[in-house]
Amino acid sequence: MAEAFPWQDALWQQLAGRTQHAHAYLLHGPAGIGKRALAERLMARLLCLKPDGLNACGQCKSCHLLAAGTHPDTYVLEPEEADKAIRVDQVRELVGFVVQTAQLAGRKVVLIEPVESMNINASNALLKSLEEPSGNTVLLLISHQPSRLLPTVKSRCVQQACPLPSPAQSQSWLKQKLPDLSQQVVEELLFLANGSPLTAVQMHEQGVIAQRAEVVEGVKKLLKQQIGPSQLAESWNSVSLPLLFDWFCQWSQLMLRYQLSGDEAGLGQADMSKVIQYLADKSSQPKVLAIQDWLLAQRQKVINKANLNRILLLEALLVQWASLPGPR
Ligand SMILES: [Zn+2]
């Protein structure tokens, strides 16, 4: 059964406690905070034949079928490959499911994740199912970036913001999950994951802390002219592009903030704070603003999975980065 996260308690009471359910819910919030698990719990609760208070019983025929992945009244719509789009013909298949009659308990539940991976055609095909509720179907839409959804899709759902855990909740959950980690590593992972505990676990598994150390080391060598932009770009082939752009965007923002405030407490993580301070002191503000604009624009393309030449893009980034310090 899907894990129940302590930071979702209040939301769970409210959702599972409803006597009447909406036709469609939009569960939104940052990635890595457990929205999928929440949707799966709700799916189980909605289909359970003998619910135990707010929770699914885990014992009935429906719960067993769900656990086995063979429940006839559920449908999960997601991209066929990670990071790819949900195609319009996939949505048409779903629409066919929505109009069918439920086989077990008189209710069907559909889960769609992430909703923003549907293009305009796919979204429009889904609108029909959102507009004309047929049978007793509940649609659970999961979105990490609700700003990218069509307004017509959003307006047809009950929108439900999913909470980010507090730092204390994240830390205690992460320590339980990965008891071997030191307090320092736990804090570092949560910082790198922007406070999303499930992302922190994923980052731990992917070795992101070591990647970060490698990237920071590379940036320092670049500024000391011990390595060239293209050689450095190629050496980072194990680090994901969105992660690299997140970091460089953060660094340029920290630089600008320090230029404006002169506040040494606002220099970010210790691993880069000296470098940020040095660059902020040595670079003109227009240059920092220009690289920040460029980084934000490229980051958007990276997030939108535009077809990018990774090495050329990183090289362009590092050439600009290396030329930051200069006459003011
Ligand atoms: Zn049950």
Side-chain angles (χ1 to χ4, degrees), residues 9 72 82 106 112 125 141 202 217-218 252 277 285 295 308 313 315 327:
D9 280 351
I112 308 177
L141 282 65
Q202 215 177 24
E217 204 47 46
S252 72
Q277 189 174 24
Q285 217 178 80
L295 279 165
L308 302 164
L313 185 64
E315 231 184 284

Side-chain angles (χ1 to χ4, degrees), residues 218-323:
V219 170
K220 289 177 183 169
K221 280 188 179 164
L222 178 77
L223 293 171
K224 289 181 194 156
Q225 298 181 341
Q226 291 169 350
I227 192 168
S230 53
Q231 202 190 342
L232 187 55
E234 281 181 34
S235 77
W236 286 345
N237 53 18
S238 65
V239 192
S240 87
L241 213 46
L243 207 51
L244 282 168
F245 272 82
D246 275 353
W247 293 344
F248 277 93
C249 279
Q250 282 164 12
W251 292 335
S252 72
Q253 275 157 16
L254 290 170
M255 230 185 280
L256 195 64
R257 195 190 303 166
Y258 181 72
Q259 284 187 333
L260 296 171
S261 71
D263 178 10
E264 291 190 18
L267 285 166
Q269 282 290 91
D271 58 355
M272 271 294 277
S273 58
K274 286 274 177 284
V275 178
I276 304 283
Q277 189 174 24
Y278 164 80
L279 286 172
D281 283 337
K282 296 284 178 197
S283 316
S284 75
Q285 217 178 80
K287 255 183 167 175
V288 177
L289 277 169
I291 200 170
Q292 188 180 39
D293 280 350
W294 184 86
L295 279 165
L296 289 172
Q298 302 304 315
R299 179 170 172 262
Q300 202 51 49
K301 287 186 201 164
V302 168
I303 291 172
N304 293 341
K305 337 262 186 233
N307 205 1
L308 302 164
N309 182 322
R310 179 189 163 99
I311 295 292
L312 285 183
L313 185 64
L314 286 179
E315 231 184 284
L317 161 62
L318 294 174
V319 166
Q320 292 178 71
W321 199 263
S323 69

Side-chain angles (χ1 to χ4, degrees), residues 11 18 40-41 49 213 253:
L11 177 57
R18 286 175 76 123
E40 286 178 357
R41 273 176 87 197
L49 303 171
Q253 275 157 16

Side-chain angles (χ1 to χ4, degrees), residues 44 47-52 55-64:
L47 293 169
C48 179
L49 303 171
K50 290 175 197 154
D52 174 14
N55 295 304
C57 72
Q59 308 292 328
C60 70
K61 188 178 179 194
S62 175
C63 286
H64 281 303

